[in-house]
Amino acid sequence: MADAKKVEFKVQLKAAPSYYANHPVILTVKDPNHRLGLRPRLGLHRRGRVPATVFRSFLVNAKGRGRFYGWMPVQFDGVTLIADEATAEVWADVDPGITIRRLSLLEIGLRLVLQRPLFMLRVLRLLLAFNLKGATFRFARQVDAMSAPSYSEWIGAQQAAERAELPDTLPTNWPTKPLVVVSIVGDIEEAIAQTRASLIAQTWRHHVEISPDKVANIKERDAVRPLLWMRVPAGMRLAPRALEALVRPFALSQSVVAVYCDEDRLTKRGRRVEPFLKPAWNPPLAKSGWLALDGALIRVADLPDELDLEAMPMGEVIAKAANGRRDAVFHIPRVLLHRDAPRQRVSGPARLPSEPLELPHVSVIIPTRDRADLLEACLRGLFESTSGVVLDVIVIDNDSSDPKTLALMERYREVGKIRRLPLPGEFNFSKACNIGVGASRYELILLLNNDVEPLQPDWLAKLARELDDPSTGAAGSLLFFPDGYVQHGGVTLGAGTVARHTFHFLHPESVEDHGLLRERREVSAVTAACLLTRKSLWVQTGGMDENNLKVAFNDVDYCVKVRQAGSQIVWTPQSVLVHKESVSRGADNTPEKLRRFAAEERTVYQRWGDLLRNDPYHNPNLSLIAEDYVLEAYPRDLSPRTSQ
């Protein structure tokens, strides 16, 4: 039974915290009195870091037994177990039994082979490609994923929590409760009957069935009683409280246009599988059909006239109804819909912006120090393998001393292809970019690492086309490692602690990306290794923080400022490059670099902590510690949300 009091248990360590730091551990719980509840969380304390505590979660079964596996932070300083307030029996007077021990790499490796063999094969494939960094990264993420529940286990725990968390009372701030008009589309009688049966079982009783062609005829009745419309494919079933949950956000404001939720699939035997945990409103994904929106609720008064409400893809319907207002479309991150067949895209790829009337003019800013081999490949990529743009290339030289590098820059400068601006002193990426933007000739600014090379001649022209849309403030590209693995597919805020590249070290043919590597989409941030933005926006937001974010997270900070200014950020797979990822700068593994990284992490987290915990384009039911599509036993904020 739920209780408002937060209950915590400090875990007793049998060795100093440093013994567990940066190692995999197993934590075992025996809690027959259910003081921890079904979804306890671990607070892992970090010495001298911000955030000082990072959280993990796992499930405890009906007998009170549970196991957590995870990789401990480098500055690990202790662990606290936090009871699940929604399901814990807090009146029990017997503390749970909790033990923790460090695992050897051999033991954890054997456990992974037995529990997650497919993923271990992917790690092995990285090793065979001599991608040690990728193999190490994914191995650690697999350890973090070992505590993830199966979908059936997750459903049971969330349903128990929802019974305590969801309010029993219906909204009372409507003079008249909205009427939901439901259109069931399809001609298979058995499937139609299944959908109708789920409607009959709804806790929200104010609904009627109507054909799509009649919806336009009832718009004028909205003045008498609020009307909300839902189109459901025959065979889709609604959870008993689905309509109630979908209706609630409309009580918040008259500006709410549409509300949608997560879904899964029912097998022939009625087992729930394949959860589709969606991002908040993402117009490119909605228009392409990737973001399935069947079963969404739309305010009838906001539906434009003369829409084909029976055949038009629901993503297009909602986009037209919202008319560009991102705060008008709400997402409820709860699984309230169940399909009886695999979900299919209902429209073709999203259209890119139209071709510009003239060639885009782009100022390219390349910070560099020595490494003539990298810089030469980068410049050749710009001048010999890039088409459809007018370039203004600025090389920010951070104390290069290598004669080959100096001769290379001088050769390009003499023929008027580059401008070389000096940046003496310690490496400061933010300052280099600020200097470059200040000297740029054009409105479009491309930040480009010296270890990046294009794979197609129109990569920059396609990237520039994204900024033809005045609401877009920055755009990023699909970046690959030289071995073909994904280096950058966008950035997920809060992953790790501050942010992490989406689909990092995934192979594009592994289907682990759920098709998103082929989809142009809005994201919260993109990497400054290849980031296109506007000079006017750079000036407006103050550019990069060269005092506090000299090396890490300056791109995340800038992108958050761009979104705070009301602009969107787009990632596109139409622009593809190879990125050797910081090979010219080296690893951040010296004590000095680790201290600098911790300070930059603290700066960004203190500045944007609430936003980092709630990336609108990452579902709160998914882990921020393991890889991109791993279930989180204790989800984050499940309140209705927008992408604004």
Side-chain angles (χ1 to χ4, degrees):
M1 184 175 179
D3 191 286
K5 184 179 179 181
K6 188 176 183 180
V7 180
E8 299 182 358
F9 302 89
K10 186 174 182 179
V11 179
Q12 299 299 317
L13 304 177
K14 292 185 177 181
S18 58
Y19 173 76
Y20 304 91
N22 201 27
H23 282 84
V25 306
I26 177 174
L27 182 143
T28 305
V29 165
K30 295 180 180 179
D31 183 31
N33 293 289
H34 306 293
R35 292 205 72 188
L36 290 170
L38 299 176
R39 311 171 303 167
R41 288 177 293 157
L42 278 78
L44 304 179
H45 309 305
R46 308 190 308 164
R47 184 180 62 261
R49 299 291 291 272
V50 175
T53 303
V54 293
F55 297 94
R56 310 286 190 270
S57 64
F58 65 106
L59 292 186
V60 173
N61 64 22
K63 295 181 180 180
R65 295 181 177 270
R67 285 183 175 180
F68 166 83
Y69 297 91
W71 205 282
M72 295 298 97
V74 175
Q75 288 84 14
F76 177 69
D77 197 35
V79 57
T80 300
L81 208 53
I82 305 164
D84 176 15
E85 60 273 17
T87 61
E89 297 182 2
V90 296
W91 56 79
D93 57 2
V94 180
D95 287 353
I98 308 168
T99 60
I100 184 172
R101 69 179 178 89
R102 195 176 89 175
L103 297 172
S104 69
L105 290 179
L106 177 60
E107 181 179 358
I108 197 67
L110 290 174
R111 288 178 181 270
L112 282 169
V113 168
L114 293 174
Q115 296 183 29
R116 301 176 71 82
L118 176 60
F119 292 95
M120 287 304 292
L121 285 174
R122 290 168 176 158
V123 172
L124 178 61
R125 186 177 178 183
L126 280 160
L127 284 173
L128 292 175
F130 300 101
N131 193 331
L132 181 60
K133 186 175 181 180
T136 302
F137 177 87
R138 295 212 66 184
F139 182 83
R141 301 289 76 74
Q142 297 315 309
V143 174
D144 291 326
M146 288 178 68
S147 299
S150 68
Y151 186 46
S152 59
E153 294 170 333
W154 184 86
I155 289 171
Q158 306 317 317
Q159 287 179 336
E162 284 178 5
R163 286 192 287 270
E165 293 171 342
L166 287 177
D168 291 326
T169 57
L170 298 176
T172 58
N173 53 335
W174 283 306
T176 305
K177 289 185 172 61
L179 177 66
V180 177
V181 291
V182 182
S183 301
I184 303 175
V185 293
D187 54 9
I188 301 176
E189 286 300 323
E190 181 182 0
I192 293 173
Q194 291 171 340
T195 300
R196 282 178 178 156
S198 73
L199 287 168
I200 292 172
Q202 292 298 301
T203 56
W204 183 267
R205 310 303 301 171
H206 312 276
H207 60 85
V208 296
E209 189 176 337
I210 189 173
S211 62
D213 60 324
K214 300 290 179 57
V215 174
N217 298 333
I218 63 172
K219 287 182 68 173
E220 66 275 6
R221 301 184 198 174
D222 192 85
V224 178
R225 182 177 190 180
L227 298 175
L228 308 174
W229 175 63
M230 171 185 285
R231 190 181 72 194
V232 189
M236 177 176 273
R237 276 153 276 191
L238 286 70
R241 298 184 74 170
L243 286 185
E244 176 190 335
L246 289 165
V247 164
R248 285 180 183 276
F250 288 93
L252 300 175
S253 169
Q254 286 294 315
S255 66
V256 178
V257 169
V259 181
Y260 66 97
C261 63
D262 296 338
E263 62 181 72
D264 59 16
R265 188 173 71 83
L266 289 172
T267 66
K268 291 182 179 179
R269 295 186 178 182
R271 188 167 66 94
R272 291 173 57 184
V273 297
E274 299 176 16
F276 183 23
L277 305 175
K278 305 172 185 178
W281 178 237
N282 198 312
L285 292 180
K287 292 177 182 178
S288 76
W290 185 92
L291 180 57
L293 292 165
D294 296 316
L297 268 188
I298 305 176
R299 194 185 299 272
V300 171
D302 289 310
L303 288 170
D305 294 332
E306 300 180 356
L307 295 184
D308 184 349
L309 296 182
E310 184 167 10
M312 178 176 283
M314 191 54 67
E316 293 187 32
V317 173
I318 294 177
K320 291 181 181 298
N323 195 28
R325 292 175 291 161
R326 285 172 174 79
D327 60 347
V329 183
F330 278 71
H331 168 233
I332 298 176
R334 297 182 185 272
V335 181
L336 302 173
L337 301 174
H338 316 294
R339 293 183 187 266
D340 66 347
R343 143 183 95 85
Q344 297 179 349
R345 286 178 51 147
V346 292
S347 65
R351 293 181 295 274
L352 289 172
S354 58
E355 292 284 355
L357 297 178
E358 59 181 31
L359 295 182
H361 290 54
V362 181
S363 288
V364 183
I365 298 163
I366 308 172
T368 193
R369 174 189 284 174
D370 294 325
R371 292 304 302 264
D373 56 334
L374 296 177
L375 181 59
E376 182 171 22
C378 179
L379 293 176
R380 289 183 64 181
L382 283 170
F383 296 120
E384 300 177 21
S385 302
T386 299
S387 63
V389 293
V390 176
L391 295 174
D392 164 36
V393 178
I394 306 167
V395 175
I396 309 298
D397 179 20
N398 182 210
D399 284 343
S400 293
S401 59
D402 172 42
K404 291 183 179 179
T405 304
L406 296 174
L408 173 70
M409 289 188 286
E410 182 61 19
R411 186 168 72 248
Y412 275 97
R413 188 196 65 79
E414 284 181 345
V415 295
K417 287 191 172 182
I418 72 168
R419 287 183 285 153
R420 174 176 170 261
L421 301 181
L423 174 63
E426 65 176 351
F427 178 76
N428 187 327
F429 183 83
S430 295
K431 187 174 183 178
C433 293
N434 287 338
I435 290 172
V437 173
S440 62
R441 293 170 177 156
Y442 303 137
E443 168 68 358
L444 294 186
I445 303 293
L446 178 72
L447 309 182
L448 192 68
N449 274 23
N450 65 351
D451 54 358
V452 173
E453 302 173 37
L455 289 178
Q456 55 194 38
D458 60 351
W459 67 277
L460 185 49
K462 287 183 174 178
L463 199 59
R465 286 171 60 192
E466 296 294 346
L467 270 68
D468 287 345
D469 183 345
S471 70
T472 300
S477 305
L478 170 58
L479 305 181
F480 286 109
F481 289 105
D483 59 13
Y485 282 86
V486 176
Q487 194 273 339
H488 172 257
V491 171
T492 300
L493 299 185
T497 53
V498 171
R500 195 160 65 202
H501 286 193
T502 315
F503 310 128
H504 206 34
F505 294 110
L506 266 62
H507 197 277
E509 297 176 0
S510 69
V511 305
E512 296 175 85
D513 64 304
H514 289 219
L516 278 178
L517 285 173
R518 299 187 299 272
E519 295 285 344
R520 173 181 172 268
R521 68 189 196 279
E522 291 181 6
V523 293
S524 290
V526 293
T527 178
C530 180
L531 185 156
L532 187 71
T533 188
R534 305 178 193 277
K535 184 172 183 176
S536 56
L537 189 57
W538 188 276
V539 173
Q540 175 188 340
T541 60
M544 284 188 172
D545 183 349
E546 60 188 64
N547 296 316
N548 301 298
L549 301 173
K550 297 178 181 179
V551 178
F553 305 129
N554 35 46
D555 46 8
V556 173
D557 181 67
Y558 175 70
C559 286
V560 172
K561 291 191 293 185
V562 166
R563 284 181 47 80
Q564 291 289 97
S567 294
Q568 307 306 314
I569 299 171
V570 172
W571 175 89
T572 175
Q574 303 296 320
S575 175
V576 189
L577 304 95
V578 169
H579 182 202
K580 298 170 185 175
E581 194 183 27
S582 306
V583 294
S584 60
R585 182 165 57 87
D588 291 331
N589 54 9
T590 66
E592 181 182 354
K593 288 183 177 180
L594 290 173
R595 285 193 294 272
R596 185 261 305 154
F597 180 89
E600 292 172 331
E601 176 189 49
R602 178 172 59 250
T603 294
V604 179
Y605 207 87
Q606 289 177 338
R607 189 174 292 171
W608 307 116
D610 289 342
L611 294 174
L612 298 181
R613 288 185 290 266
N614 295 282
D615 187 331
Y617 302 117
H618 189 74
N619 193 290
N621 292 296
L622 296 173
S623 174
L624 284 171
I625 304 302
E627 294 185 311
D628 301 284
Y629 285 99
V630 173
L631 288 169
E632 185 66 55
Y634 188 97
R636 297 174 298 283
D637 187 358
L638 298 179
S639 304
R641 62 194 190 138
T642 72
S643 59
Q644 182 67 24

